[in-house]
Amino acid sequence: QSVLTQPPSLSGAPGQRVTISCTGSSSNIGAGYDVQWYQQLPGTAPKLLIYGNINRPSGVPDRFSGSKSGTSASLAITGLQAEDEADYYCQSYDSSLSGFVVFGGGTKLTVL
Amino acid sequence: QVQLQESGPGLVKPSQTLSLTCTVSGGSISSGNYYWSWIRQPAGKGLEWIGRIYTSGSTNYNPSLKSRVTISVDTSKNQFSLKLSSVTAADTAVYYCARVLPDYSSSWYPFDYWGQGTLVSVSS
């Protein structure tokens, strides 16, 4: 059971817009800690997609965007493409106990 | 271009200690404000942060694993290592090493470089 909650799966047709949610609590996202998003293609290591809630590393298309409000965050993908089919994970920091990095359970995105 | 590569036994017996090493290339492990982490992923499941180490040797661990985890660094070899004791089948996973983006506002995240991962199975 993950500290951050994501929908297990989502799907969309090519060209559509999809949004993946990430829900936390007052000890992580709601406490003001940044949210990151990672994309994991099958059989590969995760790749940083969004950091600091809204920032894209160099090379990440602007079809990917992040937002954060209250105890939740979202990753939006516009102009969905076949190569976007992957697992997506949100990540933040939780201040409970002695503090640690937390991930969402992941969302499997299927491009129809 | 920084590269990370995990190495170690792919099979560990229950109750024994899992030992992995991450070799960093393309830059010195200690020449900047670098934090290095271990993260694991059981097959078909999500990511779990194990812990991190600063180049000075200071560490932080996931509270759920803290009693069994030791992370260390060897700057002379440009490596950092993971030891997980008293393993069970629940520790079977792909283990990743990763770097925290240096000079960011947080020293805990984001993870900008990852190794390719290494599968460790716990079985007798």
Side-chain angles (χ1 to χ4, degrees), chain A residues 8-28:
Chain A
S9 63
L10 275 177
S11 62
Q16 282 190 333
R17 180 182 189 271
V18 296
T19 301
I20 301 173
S21 62
C22 175
T23 303
S25 68
S26 59
S27 61
N28 43 69

Side-chain angles (χ1 to χ4, degrees), chain A residues 34 36 38 40 45 52 89 93, chain B residues 41 45 96 104 109 111 115:
Chain A
D34 289 345
Q36 282 59 240
Y38 300 86
Q40 187 176 35
Y89 293 91
Y93 174 87
Chain B
Q41 184 175 35
K45 295 189 178 180
Y96 295 100
Y104 187 63
Y109 52 72
F111 304 108

Side-chain angles (χ1 to χ4, degrees), chain B residues 36-108:
Chain B
W36 307 90
S37 279
W38 286 97
I39 296 159
R40 69 180 182 178
Q41 184 175 35
K45 295 189 178 180
L47 300 163
E48 180 179 35
W49 180 77
I50 298 170
R52 70 170 190 170
I53 189 165
Y54 186 49
T55 50
S56 66
S58 65
T59 54
N60 301 94
Y61 301 126
N62 189 319
S64 67
L65 299 169
K66 186 175 183 178
S67 63
R68 299 193 292 130
V69 174
T70 302
I71 297 176
S72 59
V73 64
D74 187 336
T75 55
S76 67
K77 295 182 179 179
N78 234 34
Q79 297 175 335
F80 63 104
S81 299
L82 168 70
K83 290 188 185 300
L84 182 65
S85 63
S86 306
V87 297
T88 69
D91 295 311
T92 294
V94 174
Y95 286 75
Y96 295 100
C97 55
R99 188 187 82 166
V100 176
L101 178 68
D103 301 320
Y104 187 63
S105 56
S106 171
S107 62
W108 294 90

